[in-house]
Amino acid sequence: MRPEREPRTGEVSRPSPAVPDRDDALSVLFGTSTALFASMAGPAHVLEAANPAFFTAIGGGQRERTGVPLGDLMPELEAQGFLRLLDQVYRTGERHVGRDTRVVLGVGRRAREAYVDFTYEARRDTGGNVVGVRMIGVETTQVKHARRLAAEQRALLEQIARQAPLPEVLEGMCRVIEELSPDVIVSVLLADEEGRHLHHGAAPSLPAFYNQAIDGIATGEGAGSCGTAAHRRQKVIVTDIATDPLWDDFRELAGQAGLAACWSTPILGRDGRVLGTFAMYHRTPRAPQDTDLALAGLFVDTAALAVERHHAEQARRTADARERAARDDLSYLLTVSTALAGPLDEGQTLRRLAELAVPALAPLAAVDVVEAGRMIRVASAATTGRARELLASHSAVRETEDDAVARVLATGLTKVARRTPPGPGPWQELGVTGYVCVPLMDRERPFGVLSLYATDGASLDGHRIALAEEVARRAASAARNARQYAQRAALARDLQSGLLLPDLPDVPGAQVAAFYHPAGQGLDIGGDFYDVFPRGDGSWSFVLGDVCGRGAKAATTTALVRHTARAVAPLLDDPVGIVKAVDRALNDRSSQENNGFVTLVYGHLTPVDDGLAVELVRAGHTLPLLLDAGHTVTPVEAHGGLIGIGIPPRLDAVRLTLRPTESLMLYTDGITECRAAGTEQYGDARLLKALASAPARPAATDIVRTLTEDIEAFTNGRTVDDDQAALVVTAEGPSPRVR
């Protein structure tokens, strides 16, 4: 690269014939692209060539000319500093690069804001003299606005979702649009219930006197842009307030506020009702561009959502104000939902239901369910202990047609009576004067009944009956969820136990111990697994691994790995060959069965005179750890890649001998990556320290116990986010010796 320089005094700069040819070529190159290209000559920056995209960007029309200084063609560039930048590049020959640079293109009504990535670079002749400046750029306005618009729109929707106050949402929306379009002033007016008047909603950039003056204006033809838009129920665009008859009554007010143009869009609800207006003002007369109209349309929808959400909230609050009991009901239902949302089983949920019903709904409550065709009273509650005992001793009889509980179970309908229940029972002693029996539904079938009993002449009115039905619905849902939770947890436990060894086998010359702790609540089948099995020739196979993912797919992958290893281990002596066979089995799955990669450590144990001979292969897994007789912990370096990813792994076998009392530990990363209450991870260093702290001459079970106790102390009972598994092999019979 030649150094750029200024011409010496007296030196004549003659442009090379190649220079215009090159720029012509560039003009052709960029002629059909969306990139902006312009070539300027001399210190006056005379526009010699430009592509159509450049002329389109600057406004087209009378501006599509060459042979004139850029400052004459685009006078707005002077105040924005772009001509000074051109002068600087022409004078110094040094390139200037702008990123996401704001520029106002055009003047007056045709002016628009744009953002551009551009480069100014010097044009030189063959002698290295600067003869002009070349501009290459890409307009980023739409991308920039789209990103900002999406982010701001999302923020507004989040405000609406969390029921932020309507003035806060509307003012935030106005400010967002004004930031996206700096020349725009935004106003939102809200319609009254009849849609006949518009009231101030938000207009943070309009003068206070203007907002006060138009607050409460009537809708109708000629009522400015907003009143007319609400009346017509369609967009009204006034490009010049000074001359438009729609502003006759407000022209002086607009002049005092410095407003020259106003485009108003009605805000319509989903039912077509006018909710308000959304206005965009300008301080100079101008017509809206397509982007302005699109922006208005987008935020009108957002405003409609916010206003409708506000109306719904107002309706709810009005109802609460009119009916104090309704507020108490909501509070009570919230208490019920919270109480039933805890980690309860089905029986606890139904007992909690009876307790929650007394005394809020009635002084006496009982819950009966059908189990194996029989009616069983599972819960009762009362304001006194004696009354609860009496109620608990009574049980409905399903076969009796007159029994209220039996009838509700048969019909699935609530039964109400203002008298003593039919049939035998402690009704007189309890002073029961009326009852309501509400079904507990599992989808469309009743599985139980909530019975409420009134005493001392008090009645169960329609309000309490409706509340009881809602409480019963929530309790039935909670009971069903608790039952499904228990069934799912049991299923996960059963499936997980089928994927793990119920008991580790007795391995001659070795002690083997394992540790497994599933993540979360144990509802999903984990991806960690281990296995130990004989090969039929006196040696034993061991494997510990981690499957990508959780759930049913992880279970099928785990089963595939274990069963493939068990199937080929007696047939192949080389652990590398066995792991490659597992890799092929994983890769042979259909795309629907594919559940990602697998990491594992697989190896063979063979009893020898001086301990246990170990030959192992590591496939992308954590390094095995060796605990020697001196309580020194060292990683076993073994190289190997992931399996099940469609790329043949490079695997190396490592051989070593475990002397008596020496141990080999395999583990999954759920141990080292588990976290305490803060953000600290358990980590490799703590794991090594925990292993080294095992008792002298530890058995395999001692090492597992030491490790689990240290992990529990670290997590302090916190639920772990990943499965944890470890497998320990200790030689029986005193550091490793690599063969």
Side-chain angles (χ1 to χ4, degrees):
M1 174 182 285
R2 292 181 303 179
E4 298 173 347
R5 61 183 180 85
E6 293 281 355
R8 293 191 296 272
T9 303
E11 189 175 295
V12 179
S13 297
R14 293 185 176 87
S16 166
V19 172
D21 291 344
R22 181 187 176 201
D23 286 331
D24 288 345
L26 287 172
S27 179
V28 172
L29 176 63
F30 289 105
T32 59
S33 73
T34 58
L36 312 180
F37 167 77
S39 177
M40 292 149 283
H45 313 303
V46 175
L47 184 65
E48 288 190 337
N51 69 336
F54 174 82
F55 286 123
T56 300
I58 68 173
Q62 295 298 320
R63 291 192 169 201
E64 294 191 28
R65 294 182 292 155
T66 57
V68 295
L70 191 64
D72 294 343
L73 187 66
M74 302 174 66
E76 69 270 18
L77 297 182
E78 174 67 34
Q80 300 178 65
F82 290 99
L83 295 184
R84 289 195 299 275
L85 287 176
L86 287 171
D87 292 340
Q88 177 182 329
V89 173
Y90 183 83
R91 185 178 64 255
T92 64
E94 296 180 358
R95 180 187 348 192
H96 175 83
V97 177
R99 291 285 181 264
D100 258 352
T101 303
R102 180 179 179 270
V103 56
V104 176
L105 299 171
V107 293
R109 300 185 185 183
R110 299 179 63 85
R112 73 178 183 93
E113 178 190 57
Y115 289 86
V116 182
D117 288 347
F118 70 95
T119 300
Y120 286 162
E121 61 181 16
R123 297 170 53 203
R124 298 177 182 274
D125 61 16
T126 55
N129 303 308
V130 177
V131 297
V133 178
R134 177 185 302 112
M135 187 280 290
I136 299 175
V138 177
E139 184 171 348
T140 61
T141 308
Q142 290 183 339
V143 174
K144 183 180 182 68
H145 281 193
R147 288 174 179 168
R148 289 185 59 190
L149 182 62
E152 299 293 357
Q153 184 79 354
R154 183 168 57 251
L156 288 172
L157 292 175
E158 288 174 354
Q159 278 188 303
I160 296 171
R162 68 170 185 266
Q163 295 185 346
L166 182 61
E168 178 183 326
V169 174
L170 296 179
E171 181 166 336
M173 182 177 68
C174 293
R175 294 191 183 281
V176 165
I177 300 171
E178 291 172 351
E179 289 177 5
L180 292 172
S181 301
D183 296 330
V184 168
I185 301 171
V186 181
S187 167
V188 177
L189 298 178
L190 300 176
D192 58 16
E193 190 172 349
E194 294 78 21
R196 296 178 180 176
H197 292 83
L198 298 175
H199 297 275
H200 173 71
S205 299
L206 283 175
F209 74 85
Y210 185 86
N211 290 330
Q212 293 172 1
I214 65 172
D215 187 19
I217 64 169
T219 62
E221 194 69 23
S225 298
C226 295
T228 305
H231 172 68
R232 295 179 182 176
R233 304 168 67 84
Q234 61 182 339
K235 189 184 289 89
V236 171
I237 297 174
V238 173
T239 60
D240 191 349
I241 291 176
T243 60
D244 198 296
L246 294 179
W247 280 80
D248 287 346
D249 296 338
F250 302 94
R251 186 170 292 116
E252 183 178 350
L253 177 66
Q256 293 173 358
L259 305 176
C262 180
W263 321 320
S264 183
T265 305
I267 302 172
L268 302 178
R270 286 173 293 182
D271 57 359
R273 183 165 56 102
V274 175
L275 303 176
T277 60
F278 173 90
M280 301 174 76
Y281 291 90
H282 267 272
R283 297 198 181 278
T284 57
R286 59 165 291 184
Q289 299 176 359
D290 290 342
T291 53
D292 296 318
L293 299 178
L295 194 64
L298 179 63
F299 279 96
V300 160
D301 291 339
T302 305
L305 180 63
V307 174
E308 287 193 313
R309 188 69 174 264
H310 173 70
H311 286 174
E313 180 66 14
Q314 275 193 323
R316 186 186 68 80
R317 291 181 179 178
T318 301
D320 288 347
R322 292 174 180 173
E323 185 66 55
R324 182 177 179 81
R327 292 201 304 270
D328 296 339
D329 293 347
L330 291 174
S331 175
Y332 172 62
L333 290 175
L334 177 61
T335 301
V336 169
S337 297
T338 303
L340 297 176
L344 307 174
D345 61 28
E346 183 178 6
Q348 290 174 319
T349 300
L350 297 177
R351 288 192 291 274
R352 184 69 57 84
L353 168 62
E355 295 167 357
L356 291 167
V358 176
L361 299 178
L364 301 169
V367 178
D368 298 281
V369 298
V370 177
E371 291 185 5
R374 297 179 55 204
M375 197 87 74
I376 298 176
R377 178 149 294 179
V378 295
S380 56
T383 53
T384 66
R386 174 58 181 165
R388 191 190 66 79
E389 291 177 1
L390 287 171
L391 198 57
S393 65
H394 171 262
S395 181
V397 181
R398 190 176 186 185
E399 289 74 17
T400 303
E401 294 183 0
D402 291 338
D403 188 88
V405 173
R407 293 183 64 181
V408 171
L409 283 171
T411 63
L413 301 175
T414 300
K415 181 173 178 55
V416 182
R418 290 174 174 82
R419 56 180 175 81
T420 301
W427 315 126
Q428 186 174 356
E429 189 174 355
L430 290 171
V432 173
T433 57
Y435 64 90
V436 56
C437 296
V438 183
L440 300 173
M441 307 295 290
D442 185 352
R443 295 175 177 85
E444 301 299 325
R445 299 178 59 186
F447 68 90
V449 176
L450 168 66
S451 299
L452 303 175
Y453 301 97
T455 60
D456 301 326
S459 64
L460 294 166
D461 56 20
H463 165 70
R464 287 182 181 267
I465 293 169
L467 195 59
E469 290 179 328
E470 176 61 18
V471 170
R473 184 189 66 79
R474 298 185 183 203
S477 176
R480 181 173 64 250
N481 290 340
R483 182 166 62 251
Q484 292 174 344
Y485 181 96
Q487 292 170 348
R488 182 177 174 185
L491 177 61
R493 285 194 301 269
D494 292 342
L495 288 173
Q496 191 75 64
S497 64
L499 296 173
L500 299 174
L501 292 176
D503 295 299
L504 288 168
D506 293 328
V507 179
Q511 299 173 3
V512 184
F515 157 65
Y516 178 79
H517 186 188
Q521 303 297 323
L523 293 180
D524 281 330
I525 304 164
D528 291 6
F529 66 93
Y530 59 85
D531 200 358
V532 180
F533 55 89
R535 299 182 60 236
D537 60 355
S539 65
W540 290 72
S541 292
F542 64 91
V543 61
L544 179 138
D546 190 354
V547 171
C548 173
R550 298 179 59 79
K553 286 189 175 181
T556 60
T557 302
T558 298
L560 178 62
V561 172
R562 285 189 60 206
H563 294 317
T564 301
R566 280 179 170 259
V568 301
L571 307 177
L572 301 174
D573 291 330
D574 180 14
V576 171
I578 294 171
V579 174
K580 288 185 176 180
V582 172
D583 178 60
R584 285 194 297 273
L586 291 169
N587 292 326
D588 286 344
R589 295 174 295 177
S590 68
S591 58
Q592 289 78 15
E593 297 172 332
N594 193 352
N595 195 43
F597 61 84
V598 175
T599 69
L600 58 79
V601 176
Y602 173 86
H604 294 159
L605 299 173
T606 305
V608 293
D609 293 341
D610 54 350
L612 284 174
V614 179
E615 184 176 10
L616 61 82
V617 175
R618 170 179 166 264
H621 201 71
T622 55
L623 291 174
L625 299 177
L626 177 69
L627 177 64
D628 64 19
H631 270 55
T632 299
V633 182
T634 56
V636 177
E637 295 293 339
H639 303 286
L642 303 173
I643 60 175
I645 60 175
I647 301 174
R650 297 184 62 182
L651 304 170
D652 295 321
V654 175
R655 297 176 177 84
L656 56 89
T657 300
L658 288 179
R659 308 297 184 185
T661 74
E662 292 185 337
S663 299
L664 180 70
M665 190 189 86
L666 316 179
Y667 65 98
T668 60
D669 57 10
I671 292 177
T672 53
E673 295 179 2
C674 70
R675 295 182 181 274
T679 59
E680 178 188 4
Q681 286 189 343
Y682 186 79
D684 297 325
R686 179 156 183 158
L687 175 60
L688 298 179
K689 185 177 179 181
L691 291 178
S693 69
R697 303 175 65 84
T701 53
D702 295 329
I703 296 173
V704 169
R705 182 171 58 254
T706 300
L707 176 61
T708 55
E709 290 175 351
D710 192 63
I711 293 173
E712 290 173 358
F714 175 78
T715 58
N716 194 26
R718 183 175 179 268
T719 301
V720 295
D721 297 326
D722 194 6
D723 305 320
Q724 298 175 339
L727 180 65
V728 178
V729 178
T730 303
E732 288 184 337
S735 302
R737 188 172 302 162
V738 177
R739 294 181 176 178

